Amino acid sequence: MQPFSRSQMAARAASDIPEGWVVNLGIGMPTAIADHVPLDREVIFQSENGVIGMGPAPDKAHENPWLINAGKAMVTLRPGGSYVHHSDSFAMIRGGHIDLCVLGGFEVAENGDLANWATSENDSAPAVGGAMDLGAGAKRLWVIMDHTTKDGRPKLVDQCGYPLTALGTVNRVYTNLGVFDVVKGTGFVVRDLAPGVTLEYAQSQSAAKLHTT
């Protein structure tokens, strides 16, 4: 069994993004997706802090500390990229102009609910950032995350136990075990599995029912 690495998860998600889409990448694991889109392919990455046309992460010789994404990580700007006011960036998000948003997740429920901003398991103050706007405003929502927590608890669940970020809007989930579509009225439908991962094993690591059709 060879579960997908985080880099492989990001590459798989990148390969599924159609030419010409405007895409917002959430903080953390989703940001690596930009590193796997060839420069000759037109995918327009938008960040809610006002960057449109982000490229992959810079190498050490070309880092610009003033060019960052919403997670404060340094990024590059592709030819034709631009900067806009923060309010204009959120007008794109809230106005339904983002074709796809990819977020990390703590839990995804079989009805498409997402919990990704608070677990109440530590004393740090939670901050949802722009995730609620993106979850409600983007035309499509994908989630990329490990299939289970570090202590083995499933993240694909019947119903989220953590505070919700978005209700019924997740379309697809990428994990280290596979790719799962969220189909209304059905739940999680297996789109692909990592090499050597069986349906039975993936089901044993999930709290919700996995379907093949």
Side-chain angles (χ1 to χ4, degrees):
M1 185 170 61
Q2 296 178 305
F4 294 130
S5 66
R6 292 197 169 190
S7 179
Q8 289 172 323
M9 292 160 63
R12 175 57 195 271
S15 70
D16 287 342
I17 300 174
E19 183 94 10
W21 275 14
V22 178
V23 180
N24 182 289
L25 300 176
I27 295 171
M29 201 184 304
T31 59
I33 292 172
D35 298 337
H36 296 278
V37 175
L39 292 177
D40 61 353
R41 218 169 128 219
E42 187 180 32
V43 174
I44 303 170
F45 289 110
Q46 184 257 17
S47 181
E48 57 261 43
N49 61 320
V51 185
I52 302 175
M54 290 187 299
D59 56 44
K60 292 292 183 181
H62 297 90
E63 290 181 337
N64 178 354
W66 296 103
L67 179 53
I68 60 173
N69 61 19
K72 302 181 179 64
M74 285 184 282
V75 295
T76 56
L77 196 67
R78 294 181 63 158
S82 63
Y83 310 113
V84 299
H85 193 277
H86 195 251
S87 60
D88 295 318
S89 179
F90 270 86
M92 291 180 65
I93 294 168
R94 295 171 180 171
H97 303 292
I98 305 298
D99 294 300
L100 168 68
C101 176
V102 187
L103 296 175
F106 295 142
E107 292 177 332
V108 177
E110 61 183 0
N111 68 344
D113 288 351
L114 168 65
N116 84 335
W117 70 283
T119 64
S120 302
E121 292 181 352
N122 55 51
D123 295 329
S124 62
V128 71
M132 286 184 178
D133 294 272
L134 288 159
K139 295 177 183 177
R140 302 164 189 84
L141 180 59
W142 296 353
V143 173
I144 183 168
M145 64 182 186
D146 290 324
H147 203 90
T148 63
T149 63
K150 291 181 179 179
D151 59 0
R153 286 179 292 159
K155 291 187 174 186
L156 299 186
V157 296
D158 296 317
Q159 185 176 359
C160 292
Y162 294 136
L164 295 179
T165 306
L167 281 69
T169 57
V170 177
N171 306 108
R172 184 176 297 167
V173 182
Y174 294 82
T175 80
N176 53 318
L177 298 186
V179 182
F180 309 88
D181 284 337
V182 182
V183 178
K184 186 175 181 179
T186 300
F188 294 110
V189 176
V190 179
R191 180 182 175 93
D192 193 15
L193 293 171
V197 174
T198 64
L199 177 61
E200 291 73 21
Y201 181 77
Q203 182 63 74
S204 72
Q205 301 300 299
S206 308
K209 174 69 176 176
L210 301 182
H211 305 269
T212 55
T213 57

